[in-house]
Amino acid sequence: MGTSKNVERRTILKVAGASAATIGLGATTACGGDSGSGDGTVTLRYAWWGGEPRTIAMKKAIAVFEKKNPKIKIKPEFTDYAAFWEKFQTQASGGNPPDVFQNAVGFLRKYDKRGILLDLKAQADAGNLDLENFRNGVLANGQVDAKQLGVPVGANTMALVIDLKAFKKAGVEAKMGWTWDEYFDALQTIQDKLKIAGDTGYFGIMYLYDLYLRQNGKAFFTDSDLGFTEDDLTQWWTDGYKRVKSGLVADPKKIEQVYPKSGLSAGLAASEFTWDNFSIRYEGEGESDYGLAPIPTTDGKQTGQYLGSLMLSAFSGTKHPKEAAQFISFMVHDPEVGKIMGYDRGILSTTEQYDAFQPTDAQNKGVKAYEEEVAKAGVLGKITPHPSGADVIEAAFLRIGGEVSQGKTKPADAAKALFSEAKAAFAG
Amino acid sequence: MTLVKEAPARPAKKRSAAPAAGRRGRRRENLVGYLFMSPWIAGFLVLTAGPMIASLYYAFTRYNLFTPPQWVGFDNFTTMFQDPRWQKSVEVTLKYVVVATPLKLLLALGVALLLAQKRRGQGLYRAAFYMPSLIGASVSVGFVWRALFSDDAIVDRTQKVFGMDVGGWIGNPDYVLYALVALSIWQFGAPMVIFLAGLKQVPQELYEAAEMDGAGPLRRFWNITLPMISPVLFFNVLLESIHAFQVFGSAYVVSNTQCGPADATLVYTCYLYQKGFKEAQMGFASAMAWTLVVAVALVTAVLFWSQKKWVHYEEAAK
C-alpha cells in the first residue's frame, strides 16, 4: 500500500505539472510576446496582400530596410486579398493587428471608425515620416477628416485592358474620348468578325460603375451613402444583361470557371475593365498581347477617372509608432525600394521612387505611358471618399451583378437588393 | 445517500478503517483521473462551452467585433427570417441534405453488400473504398472537384459524348450544387464501414432458413437484411443528415469562397461565415448558428421518434 501511495503522489504531481504546463503554454501563446527586446531592437509586424511576385519583391525591400536600420526587425505576414481582410478584422477586433499594413481607400473610414488606424500626422510633425514629394496629389487619398490615415505607395487608375491581337484582327481601334456607343459598336464588330465576346462582364465592377456615374455628374458613394438611385442601377444592369444575352459580353458561366485566371487572359473575351497595373499580370497569364485603352465616355471628354492607390497604414495601438512611421517613410521614399517594387502596386507615388525606377519591359512602359497620357488629358478627378461599409457593398455589387448576368435575378429586384444590403452595411 | 448514512458512523474509526481507506483510494483515483483529463476539461470549457455561451448571448445583440455588443432582443432572428439570402441558404441546404444523404447511404449500403461477401483481396477493396472518406474533407479535394467539373474538363467532355452540353457544372447555378452532392456521395466510406459491421452481425441461420423456404435474394434482403441492420441504418441516417446540415468546406472551396455562382452553393454555414467574418455581423451569425442547432435537434428528434416505426432492435425481434 505504502509504495502505491508514493507512486500515486508522484503521478498526481506529474499530471498536475503537465496540465499546468499545457495551460501555461496556451496562455503564453495567447498573449503573444512583447515586440521590444533588451538590446533596443524593435520588431514590427508588417502585413500585406498580393501574389507571389509581390511577396518576393517585398521581402527584398524589407531586407534593404533592415540593413539600413539594424535596430528594427520586420516580421512579414501575407495572404491573398480576401483572406487578408478576414484575418485583419479578427486580429484587429482582438486588439492585435499588425503594426504596419497595406490598406486601400475602401477600408479607411471603416477602420478609422473602429479606432484602429494611427493618425500619422503627429509622426510626420515629429520628423519620423516624410510626407513630401508625392506625385499628382495622391497623398490626399490617405486623408480622412483632416487625418493622415494612410500613406500611398502607388497610384493607378481604372483602364480598359484589351487583347491587342483581337482588336487588330477585328480592325477596331480604341481612341481617347470614344463614347460608350462606340465601345459597344466595337464589341459588336469583334463578335461579328472573331466570334468571341468583346467584354468579360463590365457591369459587375463597382469601380467602373463609379466612373460611369461620375461621367453623369454623380458618384457611387457620398460621404455616408450611395450616390445614385435604384433606377440608375436598374438601367445599368438591364443594359448589361441584354449584352450578355446577345453575346457581346462573355458567358458568365464560363468566366466563373476559369477563375483565378481572368476571362480576358483565358481568351473568353477581347477586353476587360480593371486597374491599369493588372495588365502586367495578364501578360504572364494569357497567350496574346495586352494593352491599355481609354475608358469610354458619355460626352466624348470626361472619363470620370481618378488616381486610386494602395497605401500603408499603422495600428493606433502599436507600441512603436516612431519605428512604424520610419518604416512607412522608408518604404514610400527609398529609391532602392522603388526599383525593387516597380509598378506592382501602381505607379510609384513619390518622385524619389518614380525617378529611380525606369521600366524596361513593354508592359511596365505601357502602364507608365498610360498614366502619363491620362494625367496629361486633364481628365483626372478627385477620389470619392468611401464610407464605412464600402468593402461589403463592393462584394455585394459583384455578387448581385453576377446573379443578374446569370439570369437568376431581375435587374429591378437586384437593384433593390443592393440598396437593402447597402443600408445594412452602412449601419454595421 | 450512502455517504450521508455512513457519516455518523465515523467515530468508530477502527471498525471501518478498511472501507475508509478504500474510499480514500477511490477518491484519489478519481482525482488522478480528473487531473489526467484536466487539459481536455480546460480545453472544453475555454474552447467549446465558453464560446457557446458567449454566442448564445451575442445572438441577442448587435455586435460588430469592435464596439461592445448592444442588446437587441429577438431582432436578429426577425431580420434573419425576413432576409431573402437567409431563406435562399435554407433552401440550398435542405436541397443538399435531401439529395446527398439518401444517395450517399444508398451507395454505401450497396458497396457494403458487395464487400460483405467473401472474396480475394477483400481488405484491399475495403481500404480503397474507404480512402476518399479520409481525404474527402481536405481543401485540395475541393480544388480537384473544381477541375473535374469545370467547362471542357472530364465530366463536361463525357457529357458531350452523350449529347449533353452543359458547359461545366461549376459556373452553372443550376448544376453546381450537384457537383457538391457528387463530392459528398464519393465520400461514402465511413457509413459503408458501419454498414459492413452491421451486415456481419446478421445471423447466417436466418438466410439459410429463408433459402430453404425458397426466398430469393431480393426477398432475403428485404425481409432479413434490412430489418436486421435497421439500427445501423438509423445510426447512419442520423449521422449523415447532421453532417450534411453542416456542409461548409466543399461549398466554400468549389465556389472560390463566394458560395456562388448566383448564391447557388450558399449553404447555411457558408452564409453564416460570410455574415460573421466578412461582414462582421457576429450577432446575426450567432443567431444563425443557434437556429441551426435547434433545427438539427428537431430533425434528430423526428428521426428518433420515427425509429419506433422502422428500426428493429433484437429485443423487439424476439
Side-chain angles (χ1 to χ4, degrees):
Chain A
M1 203 59 186
T3 26
S4 90
K5 222 182 259 176
N6 281 342
V7 170
E8 275 173 24
R9 195 162 294 147
R10 241 178 288 150
T11 320
I12 292 166
L13 285 173
K14 270 187 198 163
V15 171
S19 313
T22 318
I23 295 163
L25 196 69
T28 334
T29 328
C31 289
D34 188 0
S35 47
S37 81
D39 62 352
T41 306
V42 160
T43 301
L44 295 176
R45 281 164 58 215
Y46 170 41
W48 68 86
W49 69 82
E52 200 190 344
R54 180 176 296 174
T55 294
I56 294 169
M58 202 74 96
K59 285 187 171 170
K60 273 190 207 160
I62 289 171
V64 174
F65 174 78
E66 285 182 334
K67 204 172 155 197
K68 292 189 183 171
N69 298 272
K71 290 279 183 198
I72 307 175
K73 292 266 164 277
I74 303 296
K75 202 174 143 213
E77 294 175 9
F78 48 90
T79 51
D80 65 41
Y81 179 77
F84 178 91
W85 288 109
E86 281 165 33
K87 186 175 168 188
F88 183 85
Q89 185 162 272
T90 318
Q91 286 177 327
S93 64
N96 195 30
D99 298 283
V100 177
F101 50 93
Q102 194 165 294
N103 205 346
V105 69
F107 298 88
L108 280 183
R109 275 184 196 274
K110 174 175 180 170
Y111 286 111
D112 179 39
K113 195 174 149 191
R114 287 153 171 69
I116 300 299
L117 303 178
L118 182 71
D119 181 3
L120 291 157
K121 270 232 167 74
Q123 290 300 324
D125 294 342
N128 299 324
L129 170 64
D130 178 5
L131 293 181
E132 300 294 317
N133 304 333
F134 282 85
R135 302 177 62 250
N136 297 323
V138 289
L139 187 62
N141 287 1
Q143 293 163 352
V144 166
D145 304 334
K147 284 181 277 189
Q148 190 76 44
L149 301 176
V151 181
V153 285
N156 44 19
T157 55
M158 281 296 280
L160 177 65
V161 183
I162 58 171
D163 182 330
L164 291 169
K165 286 181 187 165
F167 266 61
K168 200 174 166 197
K169 221 168 155 189
V172 288
E173 202 195 332
K175 51 185 189 302
M176 202 76 185
W178 63 342
T179 62
W180 287 101
D181 287 341
E182 285 168 326
Y183 173 63
F184 292 122
D185 286 347
L187 300 190
Q188 188 66 60
T189 314
I190 288 167
Q191 194 197 30
D192 293 344
K193 292 197 175 157
L194 308 179
K195 307 288 173 225
I196 59 164
D199 184 282
T200 57
Y202 69 94
F203 53 86
I205 306 167
M206 184 188 88
Y207 285 100
L208 180 73
Y209 187 46
D210 187 26
L211 299 193
Y212 180 79
L213 288 167
R214 285 157 168 268
Q215 292 174 8
N216 291 285
K218 297 183 175 181
F220 199 96
F221 291 116
T222 65
D223 273 5
S224 58
D225 208 345
L226 297 176
F228 56 97
T229 65
E230 257 183 62
D231 288 344
D232 292 335
L233 185 56
T234 304
Q235 190 61 51
W236 176 254
W237 275 340
T238 305
D239 294 344
Y241 183 57
K242 225 186 292 164
R243 291 182 181 116
V244 172
K245 289 307 266 180
S246 68
L248 284 191
V249 172
D251 182 355
K253 294 183 182 69
K254 297 203 185 261
I255 296 281
E256 180 82 25
Q257 297 180 85
V258 293
Y259 182 89
K261 233 183 182 186
S262 93
L264 176 66
S265 54
L268 294 175
S271 70
E272 174 166 299
F273 289 98
T274 185
W275 296 100
D276 56 8
N277 56 328
F278 276 45
S279 63
I280 300 168
R281 183 189 118 192
Y282 295 162
E283 196 65 23
E285 248 178 39
E287 280 165 12
S288 190
D289 293 326
Y290 305 92
L292 293 163
I295 297 282
T297 64
T298 303
D299 61 0
K301 286 179 219 129
Q302 286 304 315
T303 59
Q305 280 165 290
Y306 52 85
L307 285 174
S309 58
L310 287 182
M311 43 191 109
L312 294 181
S313 293
F315 170 42
S316 54
T318 176
K319 288 197 182 103
H320 311 289
K322 182 184 162 204
E323 286 80 3
Q326 285 172 337
F327 177 61
I328 292 175
S329 197
F330 187 87
M331 292 304 266
V332 298
H333 289 290
D334 188 79
E336 209 176 327
V337 171
K339 274 189 216 167
I340 294 168
M341 296 308 297
Y343 293 162
D344 176 77
R345 295 168 298 174
I347 295 278
L348 293 153
S349 63
T350 58
T351 47
E352 295 95 320
Q353 292 195 340
Y354 183 77
D355 295 341
F357 176 69
Q358 293 304 325
T360 49
D361 62 299
Q363 285 311 305
N364 276 302
K365 274 184 185 166
V367 174
K368 183 176 177 146
Y370 184 78
E371 292 271 1
E372 281 171 355
E373 196 184 343
V374 171
K376 215 163 54 194
V379 294
L380 284 178
K382 270 194 174 171
I383 195 162
T384 339
H386 286 192
S388 174
D391 57 325
V392 174
I393 295 168
E394 187 188 354
F397 192 82
L398 185 66
R399 188 190 75 242
I400 299 173
E403 286 172 25
V404 172
S405 69
Q406 293 265 16
K408 289 285 166 191
T409 308
K410 288 204 177 85
D413 296 338
K416 210 171 156 192
L418 183 95
F419 271 71
S420 137
E421 289 194 30
K423 206 174 145 197
F426 288 136
Chain B
M1 275 317 265
T2 28
L3 274 175
V4 179
K5 266 187 192 163
E6 278 174 17
R10 242 183 197 169
K13 224 173 184 179
K14 270 178 201 164
R15 199 159 47 90
S16 61
R23 272 205 306 279
R24 262 206 303 278
R26 259 203 309 281
R27 216 174 292 150
R28 195 170 291 138
E29 235 170 61
N30 285 347
L31 188 63
V32 173
Y34 281 122
L35 275 171
F36 268 111
M37 279 164 71
S38 62
W40 184 87
I41 293 172
F44 172 77
L45 291 176
V46 174
L47 301 174
T48 308
M52 276 183 80
I53 294 164
S55 98
L56 184 59
Y57 166 66
Y58 291 145
F60 297 94
T61 64
R62 187 192 176 89
Y63 181 41
N64 68 4
L65 286 171
F66 291 88
T67 40
Q70 272 177 295
W71 185 264
V72 292
F74 282 93
D75 270 14
N76 285 327
F77 293 92
T78 44
T79 319
M80 186 174 80
F81 293 136
Q82 287 160 5
D83 177 5
R85 287 196 83 207
W86 179 82
Q87 290 161 7
K88 173 88 185 176
S89 78
V90 170
E91 183 195 318
V92 170
T93 309
L94 285 178
K95 203 164 159 189
Y96 177 83
V97 172
V98 168
V99 179
T101 313
L103 287 176
K104 185 179 188 177
L105 291 179
L106 216 61
L107 189 65
L109 180 59
V111 176
L113 282 169
L114 289 176
L115 293 184
Q117 291 157 17
K118 283 206 174 72
R119 61 183 72 221
R120 260 213 285 172
Q122 202 184 35
L124 192 74
Y125 289 126
R126 286 182 187 175
F129 282 116
Y130 185 65
M131 201 75 84
S133 289
L134 291 176
I135 56 169
S138 70
V139 169
S140 54
V141 173
F143 281 113
V144 170
W145 226 250
R146 218 184 131 73
L148 284 177
F149 285 87
S150 276
D151 185 24
D152 216 24
I154 184 153
V155 175
D156 190 37
R157 285 186 188 195
T158 315
Q159 274 184 303
K160 276 179 192 153
V161 172
F162 296 102
M164 291 182 284
D165 191 0
V166 172
W169 295 24
I170 300 298
N172 194 325
D174 297 329
Y175 287 83
V176 64
L177 190 68
Y178 297 103
L180 299 186
V181 168
L183 179 53
S184 163
I185 296 172
W186 180 65
Q187 296 158 31
F188 66 87
M192 178 199 76
V193 167
I194 297 168
F195 275 133
L196 261 175
L199 288 170
K200 290 271 164 210
Q201 300 293 318
V202 183
Q204 284 304 308
E205 311 90 77
L206 291 179
Y207 290 114
E208 285 158 16
E211 218 165 330
M212 263 195 260
D213 287 344
L218 251 175
R219 199 168 181 97
R220 286 201 299 264
F221 172 75
W222 197 251
N223 286 351
I224 300 172
T225 314
L226 218 48
M228 289 305 283
I229 64 160
S230 59
V232 171
L233 183 63
F234 171 68
F235 176 78
N236 271 338
V237 168
L238 195 67
L239 214 64
E240 290 303 324
S241 318
I242 293 173
H243 273 166
F245 271 106
Q246 295 170 3
V247 59
F248 174 74
S250 55
Y252 192 70
V253 176
V254 167
S255 71
N256 285 321
T257 79
Q258 302 303 313
C259 319
D263 279 351
T265 57
L266 188 74
V267 292
Y268 199 86
T269 50
C270 219
Y271 189 43
L272 193 158
Y273 180 83
Q274 283 192 352
K275 278 286 171 190
F277 293 95
K278 291 198 168 163
E279 299 181 20
Q281 295 189 37
M282 281 296 167
F284 190 97
S286 298
M288 276 190 77
W290 279 96
T291 308
L292 180 66
V293 169
V294 171
V296 170
L298 275 178
V299 169
T300 311
V302 168
L303 282 173
F304 265 100
W305 168 80
S306 77
Q307 68 161 336
K308 282 180 224 139
K309 297 191 186 318
W310 61 278
V311 179
H312 305 272
Y313 291 101
E314 260 182 81
E315 296 88 277
K318 277 174 197 169

